[in-house]
Amino acid sequence: MVKVEVKPNVLQWVIKRMDNFDRLKDQFPNIDKWINQESQPTLKQLEKLAKMTAVPLGYFFLPNPPEEKLSIPHYRTVRDEGAVRPSPNLLETVQTMERRQQWMRDYLIQLGNPPLNYGNYSATS
């Protein structure tokens, strides 16, 4: 069993992203010990934690958690209340849509369509 060192601030960031901390605690009873560096998780436990929290496994090896920002400046919220931190689902949805837009843009240009220039967007940017 190989133990893996994970920085406490990365584990705390993962926990903040998790919607259901009780479920996380049930699955990983030693998570407090990991945060306090009294113990370290195994690679298998990290893989399970990564899958459960939708965090790429490689993020656990970073010295600090990544900064998650939306690439779009504004988005709608319930009752127009400002969002402090975008949810993992929102981040993933926006990133998926941007990849699809980029693919379609590249595909249309490859077919010989001229770039569209309107609004603040350009097919060549």
Side-chain angles (χ1 to χ4, degrees):
M1 235 180 356
V2 176
K3 298 278 186 168
V4 180
E5 182 181 349
V6 180
K7 300 291 183 189
N9 58 344
V10 173
L11 286 171
Q12 290 167 340
W13 170 78
V14 169
I15 290 168
K16 284 180 186 174
R17 293 180 91 237
M18 185 68 181
D19 291 336
N20 189 343
F21 181 67
D22 293 333
R23 183 169 166 239
L24 189 65
K25 193 88 163 127
D26 289 342
Q27 293 290 320
F28 306 97
N30 292 327
I31 198 161
D32 289 328
K33 290 182 181 180
W34 300 346
I35 292 169
N36 296 329
Q37 294 187 313
E38 297 168 17
S39 176
Q40 295 294 332
T42 64
L43 184 57
K44 194 130 189 109
Q45 288 171 321
L46 273 186
E47 289 172 343
K48 184 177 175 183
L49 181 59
K51 185 174 182 179
M52 185 179 207
T53 58
V55 172
L57 182 61
Y59 283 18
F60 290 96
F61 302 101
L62 295 173
N64 295 303
E67 185 178 335
E68 293 182 306
K69 292 196 301 189
L70 278 176
S71 58
I72 55 176
H74 306 289
Y75 55 95
R76 293 181 182 177
T77 59
V78 177
R79 292 183 294 282
D80 290 329
E81 295 173 2
V84 177
R85 178 174 42 98
S87 71
N89 288 338
L90 177 61
L91 289 167
E92 182 180 351
T93 299
V94 170
Q95 291 166 357
T96 299
M97 292 299 107
E98 288 175 338
R99 282 192 303 271
R100 288 177 182 170
Q101 285 176 333
Q102 185 62 47
W103 177 87
M104 181 55 78
R105 179 181 304 147
D106 294 344
Y107 176 70
L108 290 173
I109 290 171
Q110 188 178 28
L111 290 177
N113 290 292
L116 300 175
N117 293 313
Y118 57 88
N120 294 330
Y121 302 100
S122 170
T124 58
S125 62

